[in-house]
Amino acid sequence: MIYKNYPMVSRVIFGRGSFNQLDEILASKRKGRNAPFIFYVDDVFKGNHWLTSRIPLSYKDKIIYIPTEEEPKTSQIDKLVEDIILEFSELPSGIIGIGGGIVMDIAKAVSLMLTNPGESKDYQGWDLIKNPAIYHVGVPTISGTGAEVSRTTILTGPDRKLGINSDYTPFDQVVLDPELTKGVPKDQWFYTGMDCFVHCVESLDGTFLNAFSQSYGEKAFELCKEIFLSDTLTEEESQDKLMMASWHGGMSIAYSQVGVAHAMSYGLSYLLGIKHGIGNCIVFDHLEEYYPEGVAMFKQMKEKHNIELPQGICAELHDDQIDIMVNVALSLEPLWENALGKNWKTKITREKLTTLYKKM
Ligand code: NAD
Ligand code: ZN
């Protein structure tokens, strides 16, 4: 047996208000006056003085606001990298992503592509990155994806939606300040929070499970139950705990894999542009056959928070469109192997996936 030797986030700061320390965290990483820090910030924070006034800017540092209607594309990353190369005489001192999974993934991908030649689509896959990234920092403002801790950055390319998975992808520094999540709208809080819940279920029910993944997965699962089903937490406690659940959920899948919901959700996202959190919810709602207990609990959570998921999104699709989604889902082989075991190909068919998609 060959075991994988995974990198982790090198430094993490946790606490309400810890974002105030960004200045001192970055100071020692500055490479010079001409090597700026580039801050990618979710454009929901444009004009939000409470947050932006604390972004420490000097010399040629720059804030770039990122719209988040759509998930990151490889072409978008290539453009952002080109913009930096054209505008500055030196490589940046660091790239900082302040936002949800979208902005954090953009920060990771840009930091990798500044030091690796060619186009980002050529690096979608596992361990194709050869050179270390620029110093990069993740500051989540919504909790659940685990993007702050993972070794991937998920991009939609011309041919597929697939991560750049590499040892250089994880952040060098993460700032976990739960207070930054206070403005998240309720529905989005639920969708992104459920991404974490689904990570736990898929990891804990998967065939790749081991004590490493289990210990993180169980903790995250327990926190999700408390956050989404109990009535005992204050809003602040709930924010603190969801931030840690996201971290643990991400750690859990680091040493295992996700499963059926993620595979199918990638199909929805690729064809219809449905975002990760809500896509997982739409799919997971129909997976009682694979995750009976997890889906029952998910339905309880959905009801408790009065969440109405879109229905019938695939009802009008043509067969060739469904085929595209089935192809995307089935191409994610490690996810199926984790969910169904080594001989997964005998357990899941195109017909089965088509039937499931048509229910959504
Ligand atoms: P997101 O980045 O799509 O953001 C969701 C919405 O929440 C946006 O409209 C954003 O503006 C808003 N928002 C964020 N913080 C806010 C705040 N504090 N106040 C008000 N609004 C706020 O959401 P997400 O669910 O965190 O990320 C999804 C993305 O993450 C997808 O692109 C997915 O592929 C990726 N992802 C990556 C990993 C990974 O390991 N790299 C894992 C899972 C998902
Ligand atoms: Zn996910």
Side-chain angles (χ1 to χ4, degrees):
M1 177 81 180
I2 303 287
Y3 294 100
K4 289 198 174 141
N5 184 14
Y6 284 129
M8 287 169 66
V9 170
S10 328
R11 280 179 182 266
V12 57
I13 181 168
F14 172 84
R16 305 183 76 81
S18 58
F19 185 60
N20 295 333
Q21 285 169 243
L22 192 57
D23 196 4
E24 71 182 63
I25 290 170
L26 296 182
S28 66
K29 301 291 176 186
R30 187 177 293 280
K31 294 215 156 96
R33 285 166 179 257
N34 294 321
F37 284 108
I38 307 290
F39 297 86
Y40 292 116
V41 180
D42 190 316
D43 75 357
V44 79
F45 293 113
K46 215 176 204 168
N48 179 328
H49 188 71
W50 176 75
L51 184 125
T52 54
S53 66
R54 292 185 285 161
I55 296 176
L57 295 177
S58 35
Y59 306 113
K60 296 185 173 164
D61 297 351
K62 185 168 184 180
I63 295 180
I64 297 170
Y65 288 102
I66 301 286
T68 49
E69 285 80 36
E70 290 182 3
E71 297 191 341
K73 295 192 172 59
T74 53
S75 54
Q76 180 187 9
I77 301 302
D78 297 340
K79 171 81 171 60
L80 289 168
V81 170
E82 194 188 336
D83 290 347
I84 291 179
I85 289 173
L86 291 177
E87 181 168 351
F88 299 99
S89 57
E90 288 179 22
L91 282 177
S93 296
I95 305 288
I96 298 97
I98 304 174
I102 290 183
V103 177
M104 287 192 283
D105 276 0
I106 286 178
K108 286 170 156 180
V110 169
S111 72
L112 288 165
M113 292 311 301
L114 279 166
T115 52
N116 286 275
E119 294 176 70
S120 51
K121 70 175 167 53
D122 300 332
Y123 295 96
Q124 285 178 287
W126 281 270
D127 302 306
L128 300 168
I129 292 278
K130 296 288 176 279
N131 304 319
I134 298 276
Y135 173 76
H136 51 303
V137 179
V139 187
T141 63
I142 179 171
S143 301
T145 62
E148 65 280 14
V149 76
S150 73
R151 83 190 269 288
T152 189
T153 160
I154 303 173
L155 305 177
T156 302
D159 308 319
R160 58 212 165 146
K161 181 178 177 189
L162 184 63
I164 300 182
N165 299 263
S166 87
D167 281 356
Y168 302 117
T169 309
F171 285 114
D172 298 297
Q173 167 81 56
V174 170
V175 177
L176 295 179
D177 181 347
E179 200 181 15
L180 300 183
T181 67
K182 70 180 183 186
V184 175
K186 167 103 184 272
D187 281 7
Q188 190 62 54
W189 165 80
F190 186 83
Y191 302 145
T192 301
M194 284 302 108
D195 190 23
C196 175
F197 180 70
V198 173
H199 291 158
C200 300
V201 173
E202 292 185 319
S203 168
L204 293 170
D205 273 11
T207 61
F208 292 180
L209 191 66
N210 50 65
F212 185 102
S213 295
Q214 189 175 5
S215 58
Y216 285 108
E218 284 176 354
K219 186 67 206 175
F221 186 83
E222 195 186 294
L223 287 166
C224 285
K225 255 172 45 184
E226 197 183 359
I227 295 157
F228 292 101
L229 289 176
S230 85
D231 294 310
T232 53
L233 299 180
T234 65
E235 207 170 317
E236 294 191 353
E237 285 169 337
S238 171
Q239 290 162 0
D240 291 7
K241 287 185 185 223
L242 190 53
M243 198 159 259
M244 288 320 299
S246 174
W247 183 275
H248 282 78
M251 285 300 297
S252 179
I253 45 176
Y255 224 109
S256 66
Q257 241 318 338
V258 284
V260 181
H262 274 76
M264 295 193 70
S265 163
Y266 274 41
L268 286 183
S269 163
Y270 185 79
L271 184 77
L272 303 173
I274 293 179
K275 291 175 79 186
H276 189 79
I278 191 169
N280 279 347
C281 290
I282 292 169
V283 174
F284 199 64
D285 211 24
H286 294 281
L287 296 185
E288 36 294 81
E289 194 179 331
Y290 300 99
Y291 306 108
E293 288 163 18
V295 173
M297 196 175 287
F298 170 77
K299 288 183 188 288
Q300 246 180 302
M301 292 170 171
K302 203 176 59 160
E303 193 173 339
K304 183 170 169 67
H305 298 287
N306 297 314
I307 302 292
E308 298 274 352
L309 293 174
Q311 305 289 330
I313 52 168
C314 298
E316 307 285 307
L317 296 180
H318 302 300
D319 289 351
D320 50 339
Q321 291 177 300
I322 301 265
D323 270 354
I324 293 173
M325 294 198 293
V326 171
N327 290 341
V328 171
L330 286 177
S331 72
L332 297 158
E333 301 202 352
L335 283 63
W336 292 104
E337 187 180 336
N338 177 45
L340 305 174
K342 279 218 176 309
N343 53 351
W344 60 271
K345 285 185 179 154
T346 63
K347 295 185 179 159
I348 188 79
T349 59
R350 301 187 68 89
E351 294 67 43
K352 177 75 201 175
L353 284 178
T354 302
T355 313
L356 278 170
Y357 273 128
K358 285 193 168 159
K359 283 194 203 167
M360 292 170 194

